Amino acid sequence: MIMKKDLSINFLGVHCENPFFLSSSPVCNNAEMISKAFDAGWAGIFYKTVGINGMDECSPRFDITTKEDTPWIGFKNMEQISEWSLEQNVEEIKKLKKNYPNKVIGVSIMGSNEEEWITLAKAITEAGADMLELNFSCPQMTSHAMGSDVGQNPELVRKYTKAVVDHTHLPVVAKMTPNISKMEDPAIAAVQGGAHGISAINTIKSVSKIDLDHLTGLPVVNGKSAISGYSGNAVKPIALRFITQLAQCEQLKTVQLSGIGGIETWQDALEFILLGCRNVQVTTSVMQYGYRIVEDMINGLSHFMDERGVDNLEDMVGLAVNNIIPAEELDRSYKIIPAIHLEKCIGCGRCYVSCYDGAHQAIAWNSETRKPEILIDHCVGCHLCLNVCPVFDCITPGEVIFKDGRDNNRNGEDIVKQLVYQ
Amino acid sequence: MVQKLVVEYEPELIEGFDFRRAMEEASRCLLCEDPPCSKGCPSGTDPGKFIRSIRFRNVNGAAETIRTSNILGASCSLICPQERLCEQECSRCGIDRPIQIGKLQQFAMEYERKLNKTYLSKKDTYAGKRVACIGAGPASLSCAAELAKQGVQVTIFDEHPKPGGMLRYAIPPYRLPDAVIDQDIHQLEKLGVKFRLNDKVTTKELGKMKEEYDNIFVGIGMWQSKMLTIPGADLPGVVTAIEFLSRAREAHGKMPSLGNVVIVGGGDVAMDCAATCKMLGAASIYDIFIETIEGAPAVQKEKEYVFKLGVPLISEFKPVEFIGQSRVERVKFEHMSNGSILEIAADTVILAVGQTMQSEAASWRDSGDIFSGGDMVNGGDTVVRAVKEGKEAAVKMMESFTRR
Ligand SMILES: Cc1cc2nc3c(=O)[nH]c(=O)nc-3n(C[C@H](O)[C@H](O)[C@H](O)COP(=O)(O)O)c2cc1C
Ligand code: SF4
Ligand code: SF4
Ligand code: SF4
């Protein structure tokens, strides 16, 4: 592809050629596959979580959720950490560092007690990694001394982070679990333990669907299934919410963020960056489509920066953080009546059905001409109709009506311009 | 990859959508308010409703909707000219192209067949009433089903060995395989409808039947082919379309060599003949008609299909003479306006210039004390229109039962 801007960014003192990393998972299990990923354009990785011993995994271990004909809306996995031993993984990491000195080798690790964490930290540091990621977040470990059970306990997070930080000179990132209502608590604990960065999210505990024949969840393993982690595009809104809260947290202002969860396109990645991430990580979409998707991430982001006249990726980090405000502070002084462009309308009646059944009975339907008409007095400006109309730009934001005496001296046109619907 | 054109004359089944493809297509559907597609279906098969069922993963519900209003739902899915019925009305035409309604209907009907489902049930509203339906074609079958659902004891009479009428004997199997016709017929059997086949009803017998049954429905179609009154029309080698198609179907496509074929006619039947000849291995085929290409009455899809099979369609020529000694050897055509003359060698000439009723049918139809419907009443139209007329006749019949 032709357009390629300098997308480099510094993350935790390490120069990264772009912000796109593979997140710890089977997309970075060994040196051979990771070499292909580097050649495709990924700037770095977080190597599949290394433990002291290899894991014993089940088969099958994945399931997908689907809406209409779109598969992979979300992805469920029942996999734990690396199937290989520490020694085997150390060899792989050495090989990678030798062959790709300019790529960033982050390595995810997970122990079940302080001693194991220290052993892992030392071994991986010696192997030549560029940074460490502490996996406090895998939701399907067979041991409760590991994974998200640890990540939900700020005390353990602090203790293990400190143990690692004391035994490495590398930057340390703590990876958070979303299976918690307030992620700031373990994140702050990690920072107190000495972590330099926070990454989020790992997968969300889930039961993806029930198999109606076997009467258990999917995937079915010898007639049974287990609660386990959900990822992919469906989880992106939840990941963005956690990132927003981390980015807005006063006690976390000193740490850098790495965003994970449902990233498929440069736009998804940019959303995380605008919410304060200097680095983004991807798994599920790579499992679905392969390493090549990074080409369009690099190219797409380059075009965007070119169009907006942005020269440094750095300049966009966090631009949206302060525009997400508490619900009580939202401007509630006006409503925007939608405008239906009848010359585009194909007469499907979807706006009418949704407004009647799911909003405010504010669209009149002429069954002869098959055309809708907004009843301004009933319309509350919720814009449900805009979201259901199947024709591009057929319904757009129209007249702004201020509630009685609440115009705040602004004009409607400017307000409408702020709305972008796709 | 180049898409391959299927040219098997008698396939076991016609490839349809799998679940994913069906869902893909159902997701394109806009799920319209008061769906225009449903209004476009003569028999009220309600595509708007059955597509919505597919979209919400209720294929049973979809099949049930189709069956409730169209006893020939499986056959219609394959042979309806959707492009000038439901699909023509589709709102999605305003965006790009219509929903492939026929394909979705086929999908739901295949589900029914594969799982051997039964959706229709019998009430006993008119238990004890007896009706005879003459002709086992679409109109009769539809009338019979409607009556049987309300408990009427129906017997269908037909001169052919198998039920289905034109479905079975005129429409070629590459468009409508036997298995699909059987599937539809099976629904009638499950409703308790009885068939008396190889039984040609005469006018005299009809008189007797009027005593025996509470009511009679006649739907005997238009089996008489129109002929051309030009020199040589009676030469051996000149056959009518229906005769040709039904012989081919009965012989499972194993016919004596056709040689060079000339087909006269621009309707759907002519297109069926052209494709059949191709599949049966004719040496050459020309389809010639008096209309313009656009004006020829066949649906666009069929014209394109025949063209893709490599059959030249020649427009605006009318036949003026069949030439030959003991058999037809050549056909002479004249241009409709510019005087050009065209002569084409032909070992077989197929006339697809329309159908008409058998002689007694008109008197039956007009006799007043019986009901009728289908081609013999509407002058020759679609199967789905015959379904509609059969249903309407059944409703009127049942009203008459109530009045008595
Ligand atoms: C099959 C699979 C295995 C995973 N294994 C690990 C792991 O070993 N360590 C870890 O920190 N996260 C693991 N994850 C979580 C991912 O790294 C990532 O945090 C999560 O999937 C969300 O990102 P995504 O939506 O781009 O997949 C795994 C995810 C999947 C799908
Ligand atoms: S904005 Fe809401 S209330 Fe107004 S017409 Fe649209 S759906 Fe109805
Ligand atoms: S949803 Fe859009 S296209 Fe459909 S009737 Fe409403 S305005 Fe017209
Ligand atoms: S008209 Fe077309 S888009 Fe609308 S419900 Fe029918 S098939 Fe779907």
Side-chain angles (χ1 to χ4, degrees), chain A residues 110 135-141 146-153 177 179 205:
Chain A
M110 186 198 290
N135 182 341
F136 293 130
S137 43
C138 178
Q140 57 257 3
M141 297 303 294
M146 298 173 100
S148 63
D149 286 348
V150 173
Q152 289 163 352
N153 181 333
T177 173
N179 300 299
K205 283 190 185 183

Side-chain angles (χ1 to χ4, degrees), chain B residues 33-256:
Chain B
E33 162 72 7
D34 188 14
C37 53
S38 294
K39 293 194 186 137
C41 176
S43 85
T45 311
D46 208 349
K49 184 159 181 220
F50 76 68
I51 297 172
R52 177 148 49 90
S53 292
I54 295 173
R55 157 67 184 79
F56 291 101
R57 293 178 176 266
N58 178 14
V59 188
N60 274 313
E64 185 184 288
T65 296
I66 296 164
R67 273 298 170 216
T68 310
S69 58
N70 188 344
I71 193 68
L72 300 181
S75 300
C76 278
S77 75
L78 299 180
I79 58 158
C80 268
Q82 283 98 359
E83 69 178 51
R84 55 184 163 86
L85 299 171
C86 51
E87 291 180 9
Q88 178 170 301
E89 300 303 320
C90 175
S91 302
R92 178 107 208 183
C93 296
I95 299 180
D96 45 15
R97 48 187 204 286
I99 307 305
Q100 297 178 58
I101 297 173
K103 285 293 218 182
L104 289 172
Q105 184 169 331
Q106 183 190 353
F107 170 73
M109 291 288 92
E110 278 172 4
Y111 181 87
E112 175 196 78
R113 187 176 60 246
K114 284 180 197 149
L115 279 80
N116 194 15
K117 290 276 195 171
T118 307
Y119 298 105
L120 299 177
S121 59
K122 248 169 97 160
K123 298 204 186 98
D124 56 5
T125 326
Y126 298 108
K129 294 286 180 196
R130 300 178 71 236
V131 169
C133 292
I134 303 174
S140 249
L141 295 170
S142 164
C143 177
E146 223 44 36
L147 294 168
K149 284 193 253 178
Q150 300 303 329
V152 178
Q153 173 60 56
V154 188
T155 309
I156 297 181
F157 295 80
D158 196 285
E159 60 182 299
H160 294 92
K162 283 183 168 186
M166 289 283 181
L167 296 178
R168 185 83 70 179
Y169 293 101
I171 294 173
Y174 66 86
R175 286 180 58 204
L176 181 61
D178 270 338
V180 176
I181 307 173
D182 292 341
Q183 177 187 355
D184 284 340
I185 300 293
H186 193 47
Q187 307 307 313
L188 286 142
E189 289 166 349
K190 285 195 272 196
L191 288 170
V193 173
K194 298 272 176 297
F195 287 92
R196 292 265 301 271
L197 300 168
N198 295 311
D199 193 337
K200 186 172 163 72
V201 176
T202 60
T203 304
K204 197 169 138 214
E205 282 165 338
L206 181 68
K208 272 225 311 268
M209 285 162 82
K210 286 183 187 166
E211 314 276 295
E212 228 179 292
Y213 291 91
D214 291 291
N215 235 320
I216 312 263
F217 176 86
V218 181
I220 53 173
M222 305 211 303
W223 287 78
Q224 196 77 47
S225 297
K226 287 190 190 148
M227 295 302 292
L228 291 177
T229 48
I230 57 171
D234 52 358
L235 278 173
V238 179
V239 295
T240 66
I242 301 298
E243 196 185 331
F244 168 71
L245 291 170
S246 61
R247 255 199 274 143
R249 188 150 190 166
E250 271 170 314
H252 300 285
K254 293 183 186 61
M255 305 255 286

Side-chain angles (χ1 to χ4, degrees), chain A residues 140-197:
Chain A
Q140 57 257 3
M141 297 303 294
T142 49
S143 156
H144 295 287
M146 298 173 100
S148 63
D149 286 348
V150 173
Q152 289 163 352
N153 181 333
E155 207 36 62
L156 285 177
V157 169
R158 184 179 307 121
K159 180 171 146 194
Y160 293 152
T161 307
K162 182 159 183 348
V164 169
V165 170
D166 287 347
H167 291 88
T168 184
H169 64 276
L170 299 176
V172 171
V173 182
K175 183 166 176 178
M176 296 288 120
T177 173
N179 300 299
I180 188 167
S181 57
K182 202 158 172 249
M183 191 180 281
E184 295 92 306
D185 293 342
I188 291 167
V191 173
Q192 288 166 348
H196 312 92

Side-chain angles (χ1 to χ4, degrees), chain A residues 10 84 143 225 306 356:
Chain A
N10 181 302
W84 288 3
S143 156
S225 197
D306 192 55
Y356 201 96

